[in-house]
Amino acid sequence: MDVLSLIPQFGNLIYTIFAFVIALSAIVAVHEYGHYIVGRWSGIYAEVFSIGFGPVLWSRIDKRGTRWQIAALPFGGYVKFLGDANAASGKDEAAMSEISEQSPEELRRTMHGAPLWARTATVAAGPIFNFAMSILVFALIFFTQGATRDPLTVGSLHPLPGTIQELREGDEILAIAGIDLPDFEQEGSWSEFVDSLPVDPVLDYTVLRDGDTLDVSAPWLFPPLIQQVVPRSAAMDISLAQGDVITAVNGDPVYAFEQLKDHVESSDGRPLLLNVWRDGAELEFALAPRRTDEPQSDGGFVTHWRIGIVGGMMLEPATERAGILTSLGGGVRQTLRIIDGSLSGIWHMVTGAISTCNMSGPIGIAETSGAMASQGAQNFIFFIAVLSTAVGLLNLFPIPALDGGHLVFYAYEAISGKPPSDKALRILMGIGVSIILALMLFSVSNDLFC
C-alpha cells in the first residue's frame, strides 16, 4: 500500500472533523448560554458552564463563582446548576438535603428549589436561543445578499462554453422570446414563465440598456450550470464542482437544466455518462442517480431520482439592499420552513411513507459540515443555522432527559400542584436516556449502511 496516497483522505477527514466541531460547538454554546443567562436572570445559580465533556482542557471562574470550561470531547455541553446531580439536571438528593438543612434560603438558588416559572423559563431558553440564532443568521444572510432587483437586471454573467452571449452587466431584462417577465412578487408566476419559454440553445432577450430598448441573443436562462453540489450526493462523490457546466448526457447534448433533469429522472437509477465543461476543459464523469425523498409545498413527500446538484440562472442578478425588518421576516420564515419540513419528514418516516434513511446521525452531519465548509463560508454559516434549528426542535421533543421532557414534568406539576416523585423521575429519566441512545445507534447505522 502506498502510504502517501492516504494523505489527501486523511486531510479531508481532519477538515471534516474540524468543520463539524466548529458547527456543533457554536450551536451548543448558544443553546447552553440560553439556559445559563435565563437561569441567572431567574435567580438560579450556575456552578459550571461546559463546552464538551470529559477531561477539562481550560477553565476559569468568573466573579459570580461560575466555572467556565472547555472539555476534551467536543460533542455537546451542559450547564450544571446548584443542586444538579449531572449534566441532564437530575436532582442531587444529598446536596439538596444538605442545602435545605444548612441554608433553607439557598434552596431558591437551586434548579430544583426555584419557582416553577423560573425553572420553565430556564429550560425553555435553550431551544429558544437556538431558534433565535437561526433567525438572526438567516436575516444577516438575506441582509448582506440583498433582494433581487425588479425588473431582473444583469449583475454579472457566468462563463459558459461556446455560446452566443450579447447580454451586458446592467441590462434590465424586459422580455425573453417575446414573453414579458413577470413580477417577482407574484406567487407561481416565475415558474409558469420559465415553463412557457421555448427550449432553444439561444433565445432573444429584450433589454433596456442605457435608456434604449433593444433585442440581443443569449443562452437559455437556466443552463445545466452547477451552482451548488449537495453534500453526500452522487455528484459530490465524483467531485463535480460549482461552476461546472454539463454539456451532454450519454452523448445527447443538453443546454437547459430541464433537459438534464429529464435524463436523470428517466434513468431509473442506471449510470449516466456526463460530459462536463470546467474552466475551458472537457471532462467525462460517470455516476448513478440516487432515490431522494423531497418535501412538497403541501407537506407531503415525492421520491425522485437525483444526482445532487443545484442549478441556477446563467447570470447573477443585480440586487438591492433589503431592509432590516424584511430581512428579519425572511429569517423567521426560513426557520419556520425548516421546522415544518423536519416535523413533516419525521412523521412520514414514522408512517413509512418515506425511507428512514433520511435520518442522519453524527457521521452524516459531520460529512455535511465538511462539504458545506468546502463550498464557502456563507454556505457553512447557513448550514450552522439550519442545524441550530434542528437542535432546538430536537430538544423540545417530550423525551425525559431532553428539555422537552423537563417541560412536560413542569406542565404536570402546574396541573397537579406537585412534581412527579423522585422515584418516578429516576425511572423516566432512565427510559429517556435509553430512547436517546437507541436513536443515536439507529442514526449511526443509517450513516454507515444506507
Side-chain angles (χ1 to χ4, degrees):
M1 177 183 290
D2 182 2
V3 176
L4 292 178
S5 68
L6 298 177
I7 293 177
Q9 289 88 335
F10 183 72
N12 288 337
L13 176 62
I14 295 297
Y15 184 81
T16 295
I17 293 174
F18 180 74
F20 177 57
V21 169
I22 292 295
L24 188 61
S25 296
I27 293 166
V28 167
V30 169
H31 181 94
E32 298 302 334
Y33 187 77
H35 289 316
Y36 163 78
I37 194 64
V38 173
R40 199 182 87 188
W41 291 340
S42 303
I44 302 173
Y45 171 60
E47 293 182 315
V48 179
F49 183 107
S50 180
I51 301 298
F53 298 95
V56 176
L57 302 177
W58 171 90
S59 71
R60 75 172 184 86
I61 298 176
D62 66 15
K63 62 182 180 181
R64 295 182 178 84
T66 300
R67 178 182 296 278
W68 298 74
Q69 65 183 38
I70 297 175
L73 302 176
F75 303 115
Y78 62 92
V79 177
K80 183 179 180 298
F81 292 103
L82 183 64
D84 286 351
N86 48 48
S89 290
K91 184 190 290 187
D92 186 336
E93 295 180 16
M96 289 295 293
S97 176
E98 184 177 344
I99 291 172
S100 178
E101 292 176 2
Q102 295 182 359
S103 180
E105 65 275 5
E106 190 77 354
L107 276 175
R108 173 60 181 83
R109 300 180 69 220
T110 69
M111 185 63 167
H112 307 280
L116 181 59
W117 68 265
R119 286 177 277 145
T120 303
T122 300
V123 169
I128 290 173
F129 269 54
N130 279 134
F131 297 143
M133 173 187 178
S134 299
I135 291 169
L136 290 175
V137 170
F138 291 139
L140 182 60
I141 291 174
F142 294 148
F143 184 76
T144 54
Q145 280 185 336
T148 301
R149 190 181 299 172
D150 200 0
L152 179 63
T153 303
V154 179
S156 61
L157 295 163
H158 295 296
L160 298 173
T163 56
I164 299 172
Q165 179 58 276
E166 297 177 349
L167 286 173
R168 297 181 187 173
E169 293 183 13
D171 285 350
E172 293 184 8
I173 301 176
L174 307 178
I176 302 177
I179 305 172
D180 292 339
L181 261 70
D183 188 341
F184 284 126
E185 305 269 331
Q186 266 183 289
E187 188 175 348
S189 60
W190 187 253
S191 59
E192 292 175 6
F193 165 75
V194 173
D195 290 340
S196 68
L197 294 176
V199 184
D200 294 320
V202 178
L203 298 176
D204 291 328
Y205 287 69
T206 303
V207 302
L208 183 65
R209 179 185 296 170
D210 300 328
D212 296 325
T213 301
L214 63 154
D215 291 328
V216 298
S217 296
W220 172 259
L221 187 60
F222 288 89
L225 166 70
I226 300 177
Q227 292 205 342
Q228 185 177 341
V229 180
V230 177
R232 307 180 72 206
S233 65
M236 178 152 284
D237 287 349
I238 63 168
S239 300
L240 289 179
Q242 183 179 6
D244 286 352
V245 181
I246 298 171
T247 58
V249 180
N250 290 338
D252 295 331
V254 293
Y255 47 84
F257 197 87
E258 279 300 313
Q259 293 175 307
L260 170 62
K261 186 177 176 183
D262 290 341
H263 277 284
V264 173
E265 291 186 344
S266 63
S267 70
D268 200 29
R270 292 184 295 273
L272 301 174
L273 180 64
L274 306 181
N275 292 90
V276 176
W277 180 87
R278 176 183 294 174
D279 297 329
E282 291 286 344
L283 308 173
E284 284 190 351
F285 296 90
L287 83 173
R290 298 174 184 171
R291 285 186 179 274
T292 304
D293 297 312
E294 297 182 347
Q296 304 298 298
S297 57
D298 62 359
F301 279 78
V302 174
T303 300
H304 289 294
W305 292 102
R306 293 287 185 259
I307 61 175
I309 63 173
V310 179
M313 287 189 281
M314 52 84 176
L315 58 89
E316 201 65 39
T319 59
E320 52 193 10
R321 186 170 295 280
I324 294 177
L325 292 180
T326 301
S327 300
L328 281 173
V332 171
R333 288 190 295 273
Q334 181 66 37
T335 302
L336 291 176
R337 276 195 292 268
I338 295 168
I339 292 173
D340 180 65
S342 299
L343 292 175
S344 177
I346 292 169
W347 172 251
H348 282 82
M349 279 188 283
V350 170
T351 58
I354 62 174
S355 170
T356 53
C357 284
N358 286 280
M359 177 185 292
S360 293
I363 297 174
I365 294 172
E367 289 178 351
T368 304
S369 299
M372 295 302 284
S374 69
Q375 296 186 48
Q378 182 169 296
N379 286 334
F380 184 52
I381 292 170
F382 187 91
F383 171 72
I384 290 176
V386 171
L387 193 56
S388 180
T389 302
V391 168
L393 179 62
L394 175 64
N395 271 277
L396 286 177
F397 285 2
I399 299 174
L402 294 181
D403 294 333
H406 289 288
L407 293 175
V408 170
F409 298 152
Y410 297 155
Y412 171 85
E413 182 178 345
I415 295 170
S416 67
K418 60 179 182 180
S421 68
D422 291 341
K423 181 178 179 181
L425 284 175
R426 283 195 299 272
I427 295 172
L428 290 171
M429 292 292 278
I431 294 173
V433 170
S434 299
I435 292 173
I436 293 170
L437 289 175
L439 287 173
M440 287 184 64
L441 289 173
F442 180 75
S443 64
V444 169
S445 70
N446 277 355
D447 292 338
L448 296 175
F449 304 117
C450 278

